[in-house]
Amino acid sequence: MSEKIIVIIPAFNEEASIGKVIQEIPEIVSEIIVVSNNSTDNTAKVAKNAGATVLFEANKGYGYACLKGMDYISEKEEKPSIIVFLDGDYSDYPAELTQIVEPILSDDLDMVIGARVKKWREKGSMTFPQRFGNWLATSLMKLFFNANFTDLGPFRAIKYGKLLQLNMQDKTYGWTVEMQLKAIKQNFSYIEVPVHYKNRIGVSKVSGTIKGAIFAGVKILTWIFKYSFK
């Protein structure tokens, strides 16, 4: 395979899961980057021992971690063709990465979102705030932009050149919806691929707390309404 694929995994205190995630990522991936997002446990050590490149980002926030990974890639002499984003909590099935990148490799699409479909979700793996937030956000994107998204799933792939075109800005919970909104506005070709989803290891930093769920919801809605008036 001539296409170079790099995975970026934001991780905050995921020592119990990050090794499992790394081990199950298919061999077609050239490099796995784990961004320890101000972790206070052994996330970095476990990730390094599992073979990942480990970066450190002191500013807490999903977007901060993703941007740190992108900064690192920008300094590499050989750039990747595809970037895959994947969570470090083992809620996704890393082996499904091959299905996530396939539409880019075979059909030259720009972006693929892993959609956590109901029939393939483990019971309890998505909280009510997550399900409602997904429904509301994707419904609004359909209403305002005629988008065909059903999920804001974090497991996703995008051509590296297209990712740079998006000029990503969000530092926290709005990262996923920002990417999808900007892709729509720039007329990127995209598709959703159904993926399995299981209960994460540990407690979610977003959906596991009322504060996190509310803050994430506000960020997502802010991005949608911001773009609806552009």
Side-chain angles (χ1 to χ4, degrees):
M1 180 180 293
S2 59
E3 291 82 0
K4 184 176 181 181
I5 302 170
I6 291 182
V7 174
I8 296 176
I9 307 176
F12 171 62
N13 289 348
E14 308 287 7
E15 66 177 7
S17 57
I18 194 65
K20 298 177 185 293
V21 174
I22 294 167
Q23 289 166 9
E24 293 184 18
I25 291 175
E27 293 184 0
I28 60 171
V29 169
S30 303
E31 184 175 11
I32 301 167
I33 301 169
V34 172
V35 184
S36 179
N37 192 204
N38 205 30
S39 295
T40 56
D41 64 358
N42 290 316
T43 294
K45 181 179 179 180
V46 174
K48 184 176 181 180
N49 289 342
T53 297
V54 177
L55 307 178
F56 296 90
E57 174 54 62
N59 294 299
K60 288 180 68 173
Y62 187 87
Y64 272 119
C66 293
L67 289 168
K68 173 67 77 171
M70 288 176 61
D71 286 344
Y72 166 80
I73 293 170
S74 71
E75 296 174 358
K76 297 175 74 70
E77 186 172 336
E78 184 185 355
K79 301 298 190 292
S81 303
I82 300 169
I83 300 294
V84 175
F85 293 95
L86 172 65
D87 279 356
D89 59 14
Y90 204 48
S91 55
D92 297 301
Y93 288 74
E96 293 185 332
L97 181 144
T98 51
Q99 290 124 265
I100 295 283
V101 300
E102 182 60 27
I104 299 177
L105 298 174
S106 299
D107 302 322
D108 200 32
L109 294 186
D110 297 324
M111 183 177 74
V112 181
I113 306 296
R116 300 164 291 184
V117 293
K118 183 178 180 179
K119 65 179 180 179
W120 288 351
R121 287 199 310 258
E122 188 175 276
K123 185 177 180 180
S125 59
M126 287 184 71
T127 63
F128 174 75
Q130 281 181 298
R131 299 195 304 273
F132 178 75
N134 262 338
W135 171 81
L136 181 60
T138 55
S139 296
L140 290 173
M141 283 195 279
K142 174 70 174 178
L143 177 65
F144 292 143
F145 312 110
N146 199 33
N148 294 315
F149 295 118
T150 63
D151 196 7
L152 305 177
F155 198 3
R156 55 184 59 206
I158 185 170
K159 290 179 179 177
Y160 179 61
K162 293 294 183 178
L163 178 60
L164 294 181
Q165 281 181 224
L166 296 181
N167 187 29
M168 295 292 291
Q169 302 288 326
D170 196 273
K171 306 298 193 304
T172 55
Y173 304 123
W175 174 271
T176 54
V177 72
E178 178 193 3
M179 185 184 296
Q180 286 165 253
L181 285 169
K182 287 184 171 180
I184 295 167
K185 297 290 277 188
Q186 295 190 31
N187 295 314
F188 285 8
S189 55
Y190 67 89
I191 194 172
E192 286 189 336
V193 170
V195 294
H196 293 79
Y197 198 67
K198 59 183 178 292
N199 283 288
R200 57 162 293 140
I201 294 176
V203 178
S204 172
K205 289 77 180 176
V206 180
S207 59
T209 66
I210 294 175
K211 178 182 176 182
I214 292 173
F215 187 41
V218 169
K219 288 293 300 241
I220 289 167
L221 293 177
T222 298
W223 272 108
I224 291 173
F225 287 115
K226 174 182 175 181
Y227 269 77
S228 68
F229 293 106
K230 280 198 171 185

